[in-house]
Amino acid sequence: MAISRQRIHVYPHRIDTYFESPLHLFVLNHTSPFHVVSAELGGILEEDFFETEIIVEPHASLWLSTQEATKLLAMPSGSARHDWHIILKDHAQLVSIPHAIIPYAQSDYTQIVTCELGHHATLIWAEELVAGRIAHGERFQFRHFHSRLTVMQEHSPDPIYHEKVCFKPFEQTLHHDGNWEQFTAWGSLLVMDSEHIASSPDMLPLDYSHDVRRAPYQFGHESRSDKTSEMPRQYQGISPIRGGYLWRMMSEEPQIVHDSLHKAINQRRDTHTSNLVFP
């Protein structure tokens, strides 16, 4: 299996990039905050293996986005993988601004993200996933989608936050956080500031009605398991975590998830994360 690599090294006053085909990096903003667009030209194929390294130096800021939706093409007998290694040094910031990941029928994909936070570093990491090429009748026809995110504090062996999401439609294991049911799109946004790592994990600068990790389908006093109640067009919830919070949304309309994620990110990406506003 061939490995394609890309690197992004951000300083307060310059940025260095390197990439190997089919990966490509476009620098849209050459001054801080630097904005880089990452693209897998032609989509992700069976046996593709990508490695991305991102280093953001002290007091530097990076906005990372994708050129368009990431297409996971058919993989009838193999799989693909993308490993991310991210280092945010003291007072550094990384904001991810995603487009959707679209798994085609028979695709099998794993994404592993590891991030190390320095003192007062800020991470805003988003993921957006659609259940397949809906217009082609490929809803939940992918074989496997696996995403693992681990956030570490500098010089500490213990994770600050760890999450593993595994969707296997044909094995009816579409959870970690519950079955998608009628929903077509899934979005997740992690906001973490190492300035607040020592704070109580129950402190959240926003009101929230339910915890997405403990009761992901709880709407007030009504449960999603209550088949007599009307099924909502969308679900969202927010949970306090150590050093920040996790927001998750699901909808039968992919554009709703996309717009909501981008609204939440764009409103406050250049301000302190404690002021982040959710729709």
Side-chain angles (χ1 to χ4, degrees), residues 82 101 109-113 125-127 129 144-150 162-167 176 186 188:
H82 194 159
I101 297 174
Y109 179 71
T110 297
Q111 174 176 278
I112 307 295
V113 181
W125 186 263
E127 291 186 8
L129 181 66
H144 180 211
F145 178 87
H146 178 200
S147 179
R148 190 176 75 196
L149 172 63
T150 304
H162 179 77
E163 174 181 66
K164 182 171 70 171
V165 176
C166 183
F167 299 134
H176 150 94
W186 177 93
S188 182

Side-chain angles (χ1 to χ4, degrees), residues 39-266:
E40 302 93 358
L41 300 182
I44 297 180
L45 304 171
E46 186 175 86
E47 304 303 324
D48 277 345
F49 186 8
F50 301 146
E51 288 184 351
T52 297
E53 180 183 63
I54 299 174
I55 300 175
V56 184
E57 296 289 346
H59 300 281
S61 181
L62 172 66
W63 298 347
L64 180 68
S65 60
T66 53
Q67 185 180 27
E68 57 182 9
T70 299
K71 302 177 181 66
L72 309 179
L73 304 183
M75 306 171 193
S77 59
S79 62
R81 176 169 170 155
H82 194 159
D83 289 353
W84 299 74
H85 184 212
I86 301 167
I87 298 175
L88 304 182
K89 298 190 178 181
D90 296 351
H91 299 275
Q93 181 192 63
L94 171 62
V95 179
S96 72
I97 311 167
H99 283 80
I101 297 174
I102 303 177
Y104 286 27
Q106 296 301 313
S107 62
D108 185 331
Y109 179 71
T110 297
Q111 174 176 278
I112 307 295
V113 181
T114 303
C115 182
E116 180 182 302
L117 298 182
H119 186 58
H120 285 212
T122 299
L123 173 68
I124 301 177
W125 186 263
E127 291 186 8
E128 181 182 346
L129 181 66
V130 178
R133 293 189 298 173
I134 309 304
H136 290 74
E138 291 185 356
R139 187 175 186 272
F140 291 121
Q141 294 301 303
F142 58 92
R143 290 190 292 123
H144 180 211
F145 178 87
H146 178 200
S147 179
R148 190 176 75 196
L149 172 63
T150 304
V151 183
M152 312 287 293
Q153 195 167 13
E154 187 179 25
H155 308 308
S156 174
D158 300 320
I160 303 168
Y161 180 78
H162 179 77
E163 174 181 66
K164 182 171 70 171
V165 176
C166 183
F167 299 134
K168 293 183 177 180
F170 298 119
E171 298 180 19
Q172 297 183 342
T173 55
L174 279 167
H175 56 280
H176 150 94
D177 62 333
N179 195 292
W180 284 14
E181 296 189 16
Q182 90 280 12
F183 295 129
T184 299
W186 177 93
S188 182
L189 180 62
L190 174 73
V191 177
M192 184 169 289
D193 189 335
S194 61
E195 179 183 0
H196 302 297
I197 294 303
S199 301
S200 166
D202 296 325
M203 292 183 64
L204 187 72
L206 300 169
D207 292 332
Y208 66 102
S209 58
H210 54 282
D211 188 324
V212 294
R213 297 171 303 157
R214 297 175 186 171
Y217 290 100
Q218 201 75 26
F219 291 82
H221 298 291
E222 294 182 352
S223 170
R224 289 297 304 274
S225 62
D226 181 5
K227 300 303 181 181
T228 63
S229 62
E230 183 179 355
M231 300 292 276
R233 294 184 64 249
Q234 64 188 51
Y235 151 85
Q236 62 177 320
I238 187 167
S239 302
I241 61 173
R242 187 182 173 197
Y245 32 91
L246 174 70
W247 178 66
R248 184 154 292 153
M249 182 179 202
M250 287 174 276
S251 175
E252 58 191 80
E253 297 292 338
Q255 194 64 43
I256 291 177
V257 171
H258 178 82
D259 291 345
S260 297
L261 273 175
H262 281 244
K263 179 181 178 182
I265 295 167
N266 291 336

